[in-house]
Amino acid sequence: MISDRVKSNLKQSLSESILPKIGLVLFIVIIFMALFAPVLATHDPTSTGYFDPESGSAYPPLGHSYDTEIAVDGEFTAVTVEANSTHLLGTNTVGQDVYSRLLYGARVSVIVGISATLLAMLIGVPIGLLAGYYGGRVDDGLMRVADTMLAFPALVLALALIGVFGERPIEIPDPIVMAGFADGMPETIPIPGTVTIVGALVIWVWFARVARGEAMSLRNAEYVKAAKSFGTSNTRILLKHVLPNSMTPIIVLATIQVAVIILLEASLAYLGFSGTTLSWGYEIERGQDYLRRRPWVSIFPGIGIMLAVISVNLLGDWFRDALDPNIDQSKRGA
Amino acid sequence: MLKFLFRRLLQGILVIWGAITILFVLRAFSPGDPAVLMAGEGADDAYIEQVRQAEGLDEPLLSQYFEYLLNIMVGDFGFSWEARREVEAIVIGRVPATVELAVAATVVALVIAIPLGVISGTRRNEPADYGATLFSLLGISTPNFWLGLMLILVFGVWYGIPYPSIGTSSFSLGGFAVEYPNSVGLGLFDFPTGRREIGFAAAVSALVFEQSVSELGTWVRYITLPALTLGTYFTALITRLTRSGMIDELGKPYVTSMEAKGLPRALILYKHTLRNTMIPIITVIGLQIGTLAGGAVITETVFNWPGLGLRLIDALNARDWPVIQGIVLFIAIAFVVINIIVDALYNYLDPQVRES
């Protein structure tokens, strides 16, 4: 499926430019954070009440302090809240550890991003291949459906779909905690199930369109004609010839769509429609009312989203440049 | 040209019909009995039945569907269960704020992105190019709600005046005191972070009829941060497109021949190559109107901007389906119409497309 030419192009781009390297390193870091969140976390991300005992306020990140006021006998007194060495990035407005929640937030983003994209591929690619290969009415119908879906902005369509399905989190058991490697961490983590399905329903059209285009150009290829002349069944031609040769643009698209889904999930969580409180977007929303005095609550999850999206976008650019034979070598990195 | 427009219009109508159908199906599957929601809280069974019959909710789905379709055709978008008003009135009341925001964001994007893209495309692999590339990478990867909050924060911290002249709203949210500044910036020129105070039309009419500039100034101050927030993704995208478009065009033979003739570089760049680069950019702007509308939902929520997006979120929280359907449908129709206009423009700009 992946030819030697593609492999050597991938290697060549990786060694020529710095951007794919940054993307790859960031991606590995984020996957590592997501996989080993229970081991890397210092506190249970869901347990609350880690407050400065004197003021009852959230801890700032290490190396920082801030001033606040406490009421003593009806009088306001100024106090300075110092950082606590066990809370690396401070605590949030309900007293949860920001660093531990950052790690778990990576899990939610990675799981939703990858599973929604895979689901969209499973829906879109077969429909697109069939439409492109057979053409005619099926194809016309698909294109009209695609146009209609694209008339809705992704976020707006996602909101309308969530209005229908509700916000249902799926509790996924954590194998690392189950195996006893991380005591005191939550045994299951909630993944926004509706957001995953809705994300797939919003982006499948892109996969269908790309697969259709590929199938249309491949159905007249010499080797497909040859296979037909041997009496090979259409199903077999689609699976053995058309699908493998369409995979390159589909992989490039899938990479970019992971970034789209991560942003979509964060946006929905920010708006309060994700169904899980472990999401980065939710955490940013929670911090915004306290932006002036406790900005770290919103800052860190935002950086998390940004780095995750940058890494996936850079990988997407790398794959696109290396895999697309039509791209002029001199335009690499554009 | 006429034939092309007619075909395009027909396609657009088909898409809108599809959109109406999808929205109807979604509503039919949405949880909760609409009659109960419409009757309001504490209504007794007899009243709920009365509402069900009066609204035709007891009829078969297919006849409800045709009724809905007919109503949309005559401009009747339904009646809000929560606000107790016609949906079309709610939608139209919210359109100006969203349009102002979207147009301001697009203007910000074009003004920044096109020069940046030209510089980056003509000085490849120089520091300016790396800077522009990094900026566009960050721009397409930053969630805009976070960007909005960071703008509020950064402006406040930079100027060191987190509590500026206008003051702070302090209201209680879930038992916590809210400390969210109403505006940030220097006393002289602060950027409000709250609800817009005056519409563009009112500001312009004050300027024309009363020779008063302050209204327009207020409008600009209120729209600056939201427009930057919404416009950043667009700016990044257009910078990328302009850059790669310029690189493409500069490699073509006509540029070499113009250079050989001794035409000034600026003339070649701005009159010829940039013009050819604009054609795909216009198409992308048309297609990205949807992204802009989605971004507006978020931006309006961050800045409490009284547009369609903020109203959509309110309606979703109240499960007010007629309003949800109305706003989503309006956005879809706007998208289709704008794309027909873009296609017509494209047709006009590009002689090759015109001939085929």
Side-chain angles (χ1 to χ4, degrees), chain A residues 148 150-153 155 159 161 163-164 267 270-271 289-293 298-299 302 306 310 313 317 330-331 334, chain B residues 18-19 26 31 124 141-142 145-146 149 162-163 173 176-177 179 240 243 248 290 294 298 301-302 319 328 331 335:
Chain A
T148 308
L150 293 176
F152 295 105
L155 183 67
L159 285 170
L161 286 168
V164 176
S267 304
Y270 171 78
L271 294 171
D289 289 338
Y290 301 87
L291 200 58
R292 195 174 75 87
R293 287 197 182 159
S298 292
I299 289 178
M306 204 165 75
I310 286 178
N313 276 334
D317 287 352
S330 66
K331 270 194 302 187
Chain B
L26 283 181
R124 282 181 65 199
S141 308
T142 309
F145 53 93
W146 186 70
L149 293 176
Y163 279 110
L173 198 80
F176 293 101
E179 9 167 299
R240 272 190 160 198
R243 179 185 184 273
D248 259 354
I298 295 270
T301 312
V302 175
R319 293 206 172 282
V328 174
I331 294 174
F335 177 84

Side-chain angles (χ1 to χ4, degrees), chain B residues 291-302:
Chain B
T291 318
L292 202 62
V297 175
I298 295 270
T299 310
E300 288 175 5
T301 312
V302 175

